[in-house]
Amino acid sequence: MKHRIVVLGAGYAGATAAGRLARRLHPDDIEITVVNAEADFVERVRMHQLAAGQDLPRRELSRVYAGTGVRVRLARVTGVDVDRRTVALTDEHGSDEIRYDTLVYALGSTAAEHGVPGVAEHAYDIAGRPSALRLRDRLAHLAAGQRVLVVGGGLTGLEAVTEIAESRPDLQVAIAARGGLGDWLNDRARQHLRGVADRLGITVHEHTDVVRVEPDGVVTADGTTIPATVTVWTTGFAVHPIAAASGLTVGATGQIVVDETMRSVSHPDVYAVGDAGLAAGPGGKPLRMSCASGTPMAWQAADAIAARLTGRTKMPNAPLRYFNQCISLGRRDGIIQYVTADDRAKPSLLTGRLAARYKEVVCKGAAWGISHPIPYPVRRHRVTATRREATATVS
């Protein structure tokens, strides 16, 4: 009987893990099923572009996995039973469940509301394609002079506000950041960022804590009202509560706590990658939710699963560290902030058009890697371990 590997979610982490497993293991011994709500692989790092009116190429999962033996199941995950090793699904035909021997949990994240009143009712986000398309449609119907406010000064907020301001110079575009604008970047990067904001006519509200979203703007902690026809919420990400409800050990964020091989610390037949996994990076610092974290987490999980199933006694070691932060500031500008292994800014950086091209290469490379998870011929190894051996602790 084939070993059943089920991968939940086909974002950067899930899609990479599935493809890498298919190239590591012999198809006669395994059955890999990817469960995803959409038929396409979605380039989440480009959702600000989609919202700003740009069209992105389709990447159908059926084509991505053509010839690999990976089966794609279009459905939404509604629950995981870790005792019975089953996953509950819903699709156009109704409810169903599938069984697994090894589960790769990669359901990702959505926009975090942080309990702020009015976010769900009045704000837009770009955490996924449906929400980005909703914002795209709303922006397309705005008249010249109307106001757009992006709340959140992280990477997503910076990319969203500059993309919108560049594509719609007729609008009044602003950003509200809880701290200083780009305060985690080095001095030169912050100076460049402020120059871009000035050039694009972006109004910057720094050290601004938004406590309520209303139909026509937001209210800050000091009682100030910032008017906005459209409010875009980019204050971070939150994971789906399915993981916590399943009985898996999770952290305060709801992410699944994993060991150095991305395996659940409470259930050895479950691995978590991408935003859904709480993994330690250099210095024990948790990896941040990002493509830069999710892809190497997927490499580590896939290689560890393959090693355990094929009877290896030594685990592979993927580079779970950071090299740079790539920030697009519209289509013709950007910042490449080089960072330490634990994600702290170094003095070195790239800016301007060269940085924009660099970021574009990174985005295209990440998407290309989904279809080419191992870019060289690899021998597909036979599964030799029993299920008991595969879930045992291996150093």
Side-chain angles (χ1 to χ4, degrees), residues 191-267:
Q191 183 179 4
H192 184 80
L193 178 59
R194 290 183 183 280
V196 172
D198 289 343
R199 173 173 60 81
L200 294 175
I202 298 170
T203 300
V204 178
H205 302 277
E206 296 182 276
H207 308 290
T208 300
D209 190 6
V210 173
V211 297
R212 188 168 71 253
V213 180
E214 298 182 337
D216 55 357
V218 304
V219 178
T220 67
D222 63 4
T224 302
T225 297
I226 303 176
T229 310
V230 173
T231 298
V232 184
W233 195 257
T234 65
T235 63
F237 301 100
V239 299
H240 198 283
I242 285 177
S246 70
L248 291 161
T249 295
V250 299
T253 59
Q255 295 169 284
I256 299 169
V257 182
V258 297
D259 64 15
E260 65 278 3
T261 67
M262 304 302 113
R263 187 166 63 170
S264 163
V265 297
S266 60
H267 292 77

Side-chain angles (χ1 to χ4, degrees), residues 100-286:
Y100 66 82
D101 296 306
T102 297
L103 181 70
V104 180
Y105 190 107
L107 289 180
S109 61
T110 187
E113 297 179 7
H114 300 296
V116 176
V119 173
E121 296 84 0
H122 307 304
Y124 295 78
D125 70 74
I126 55 173
R129 183 161 63 177
S131 57
L133 288 173
R134 179 170 165 259
L135 174 58
R136 175 191 179 113
D137 182 68
R138 184 70 181 96
L139 292 174
H141 288 86
L142 291 184
Q146 291 188 294
R147 300 173 183 271
V148 176
L149 174 65
V150 175
V151 180
L155 297 176
T156 303
L158 295 180
E159 295 193 324
V161 74
T162 51
E163 201 76 48
I164 293 169
E166 182 182 85
S167 63
R168 290 293 305 274
D170 58 321
L171 299 176
Q172 297 185 55
V173 181
I175 185 170
R178 176 172 287 181
L181 187 68
D183 58 5
W184 73 93
L185 302 170
N186 69 29
D187 291 341
R188 288 171 53 213
R190 290 197 299 271
Q191 183 179 4
H192 184 80
L193 178 59
R194 290 183 183 280
V196 172
D198 289 343
R199 173 173 60 81
L200 294 175
I202 298 170
T203 300
V204 178
H205 302 277
E206 296 182 276
H207 308 290
T208 300
D209 190 6
V210 173
V211 297
R212 188 168 71 253
V213 180
E214 298 182 337
D216 55 357
V218 304
V219 178
T220 67
D222 63 4
T224 302
T225 297
I226 303 176
T229 310
V230 173
T231 298
V232 184
W233 195 257
T234 65
T235 63
F237 301 100
V239 299
H240 198 283
I242 285 177
S246 70
L248 291 161
T249 295
V250 299
T253 59
Q255 295 169 284
I256 299 169
V257 182
V258 297
D259 64 15
E260 65 278 3
T261 67
M262 304 302 113
R263 187 166 63 170
S264 163
V265 297
S266 60
H267 292 77
D269 46 10
V270 177
Y271 293 72
V273 296
D275 292 357
L278 183 58
K285 182 179 177 180

